[in-house]
Amino acid sequence: MTKIKIAIVDDHQLFRDGMSALLAGNDEFEVLAGLSNGVELFKFLEKGDLPHVLLLDLTMPEMNGFEALTKLKKEYPKIKTIAISMHDDGNYIVKCVRSGAYSYLLKNTDEEELVQAINTVYKGQKYFNPTISERMINIMAMEGNQPKKLSAKEMEILEMISDGLTTKEIADKLIISTRTVETHRVNMMKKLDVKNTAELIKKATKLSLI
């Protein structure tokens, strides 16, 4: 039976040693190395004995987990990374997934779930328990409700509209056509999901854009 090769990256030696001992007791796994930061990780990977699965801490000196994830995705895409952290913040989790993590586990995860996560990502599948999944979904839902960002020119025109300038006055001031001003106005209303200029000003004020 082919063993799943694993490397552990964490700046706390006690955690590395404890995790190594735990995994070494499982016949399915082979622990290749315990490393203290991202710089050590890539020096190890350059030697060529690549792990199938990487357990990666996020908060480390020299090269943190997010930087390592980005570099891994580009240079070693076949390695399946499990981010391990004490942070259960949804933003952390989403950032990890977008950076290339196949799973996100908290450091108080029990052995059974750790083994399940390793076996799952080894097969090329993502693993997130219900709690982590819920936090991810909540953050992504909030992002979906955010209005699209206005351009610098749109912000400039929005300020003038809020100051009571007419379309022609704005056009004269910016040395552009009235049609261009109206196009910007329509685009802003679409981005902020409003139907008229009054609603545009109200929404922009609420979002602290003006």
Side-chain angles (χ1 to χ4, degrees):
M1 181 181 70
T2 302
K3 290 192 174 185
I4 300 175
K5 296 180 179 181
I6 300 170
I8 302 161
V9 188
D10 192 287
D11 60 329
H12 292 95
Q13 187 171 350
L14 279 175
F15 181 84
R16 289 199 310 271
D17 292 348
M19 185 66 74
S20 295
L22 178 68
L23 296 174
N26 189 312
D27 293 337
E28 296 179 53
F29 305 142
E30 177 187 353
V31 179
L32 298 181
L35 309 154
S36 64
N37 57 58
V39 174
E40 284 190 12
L41 166 64
F42 287 98
K43 285 181 180 177
F44 171 77
L45 295 178
E46 286 171 5
K47 297 176 182 178
D49 192 8
L50 302 181
H52 298 116
V53 176
L54 183 68
L55 303 181
L56 180 68
D57 184 27
L58 297 178
T59 310
M60 299 180 294
E62 293 191 61
M63 183 188 292
N64 65 41
F66 294 113
E67 293 168 330
L69 274 168
T70 302
K71 191 173 173 68
L72 282 164
K73 189 176 182 180
K74 183 184 297 184
E75 298 180 11
Y76 299 94
K78 291 185 178 180
I79 297 176
K80 309 301 189 292
T81 303
I82 297 175
I84 298 187
S85 176
M86 65 181 71
H87 303 287
D88 64 354
D89 180 84
N91 291 297
Y92 251 72
I93 300 165
V94 170
K95 186 176 179 181
C96 271
V97 175
R98 287 175 175 164
S99 297
Y102 271 69
S103 179
Y104 190 103
L105 298 177
L106 297 178
K107 286 195 171 182
N108 61 2
T109 297
D110 60 31
E111 181 180 355
E112 182 180 356
E113 184 173 17
L114 175 63
V115 170
Q116 184 180 356
I118 291 172
N119 283 316
T120 301
V121 303
Y122 173 68
K123 297 171 185 174
Q125 301 168 2
K126 302 291 179 86
Y127 176 85
F128 302 102
N129 68 31
T131 301
I132 296 300
S133 295
E134 183 181 1
R135 282 172 169 71
M136 285 174 53
I137 291 168
N138 287 340
I139 292 297
M140 290 176 174
M142 288 171 61
E143 290 177 346
N145 289 330
Q146 292 295 314
K148 294 179 181 178
K149 190 174 181 180
L150 300 184
S151 69
K153 179 62 69 176
E154 286 170 343
M155 288 292 293
E156 187 176 14
I157 292 173
L158 180 61
E159 285 286 351
M160 293 182 183
I161 292 172
S162 70
D163 288 339
L165 273 67
T166 65
T167 297
K168 187 176 185 312
E169 288 171 336
I170 294 171
D172 291 344
K173 200 162 188 176
L174 296 178
I175 316 175
I176 57 177
S177 69
T178 55
R179 184 175 180 179
T180 299
V181 175
E182 283 304 315
T183 298
H184 281 302
R185 188 196 303 265
V186 170
N187 287 339
M188 285 189 285
M189 288 192 292
K190 286 180 180 178
K191 286 182 178 182
L192 298 188
D193 192 26
V194 294
K195 297 176 181 178
N196 54 52
T197 301
E199 287 184 8
L200 175 65
I201 299 301
K202 185 177 179 180
K203 185 77 171 279
T205 302
K206 184 178 180 181
L207 294 172
S208 298
L209 297 178
I210 53 177

